[in-house]
Amino acid sequence: MREGIIPAVLGTVVSASGAALLGSKYKLAAYGVLGFGLAHIILGSIDLVEHR
Protein backbone atom coordinates (compact mmCIF):
# COMPACT_ATOMS: atom_id res chain seq x y z
CA MET A 1 0.00 0.00 0.00
CA ARG A 2 1.29 3.45 -0.81
CA GLU A 3 2.66 5.44 2.06
CA GLY A 4 0.42 8.37 3.01
CA ILE A 5 -2.89 6.92 1.88
CA ILE A 6 -4.04 6.06 5.41
CA PRO A 7 -3.49 9.59 6.84
CA ALA A 8 -5.19 11.12 3.80
CA VAL A 9 -8.26 8.88 4.13
CA LEU A 10 -8.36 9.36 7.90
CA GLY A 11 -8.15 13.12 7.39
CA THR A 12 -11.04 13.00 4.95
CA VAL A 13 -13.22 11.14 7.45
CA VAL A 14 -12.28 13.45 10.32
CA SER A 15 -12.82 16.57 8.20
CA ALA A 16 -16.25 15.36 7.16
CA SER A 17 -17.24 14.76 10.77
CA GLY A 18 -15.92 18.19 11.74
CA ALA A 19 -17.91 19.80 8.93
CA ALA A 20 -21.01 17.96 10.10
CA LEU A 21 -20.51 19.34 13.61
CA LEU A 22 -20.40 22.96 12.41
CA GLY A 23 -24.18 23.20 12.71
CA SER A 24 -24.14 22.19 16.38
CA LYS A 25 -23.59 24.35 19.43
CA TYR A 26 -19.98 23.09 19.71
CA LYS A 27 -18.52 25.30 16.99
CA LEU A 28 -15.07 25.62 18.58
CA ALA A 29 -14.68 21.84 18.84
CA ALA A 30 -15.96 21.48 15.27
CA TYR A 31 -13.32 23.88 13.98
CA GLY A 32 -10.65 22.00 15.93
CA VAL A 33 -11.73 18.65 14.47
CA LEU A 34 -11.94 20.16 10.99
CA GLY A 35 -8.43 21.62 11.28
CA PHE A 36 -7.06 18.32 12.58
CA GLY A 37 -8.56 16.51 9.61
CA LEU A 38 -7.24 19.04 7.11
CA ALA A 39 -3.76 18.73 8.60
CA HIS A 40 -3.92 14.96 8.09
CA ILE A 41 -5.01 15.42 4.49
CA ILE A 42 -2.12 17.79 3.81
CA LEU A 43 0.48 15.59 5.51
CA GLY A 44 -0.83 12.45 3.81
CA SER A 45 -0.77 14.10 0.40
CA ILE A 46 2.81 15.28 1.01
CA ASP A 47 3.77 11.66 1.74
CA LEU A 48 1.99 10.49 -1.40
CA VAL A 49 3.83 13.01 -3.56
CA GLU A 50 7.22 12.37 -1.93
CA HIS A 51 7.11 8.58 -2.28
CA ARG A 52 5.98 8.14 -5.87
Side-chain angles (χ1 to χ4, degrees):
M1 185 182 298
R2 293 187 56 181
E3 194 171 333
I5 197 83
I6 292 174
V9 170
L10 177 69
T12 304
V13 171
V14 172
S15 294
S17 63
L21 285 174
L22 283 175
S24 70
K25 64 179 182 177
Y26 302 110
K27 286 202 184 294
L28 185 60
Y31 284 124
V33 170
L34 186 63
F36 187 73
L38 290 175
H40 271 80
I41 291 172
I42 291 169
L43 292 174
S45 62
I46 288 172
D47 275 347
L48 282 170
V49 169
E50 266 186 8
H51 299 142
R52 278 192 195 185

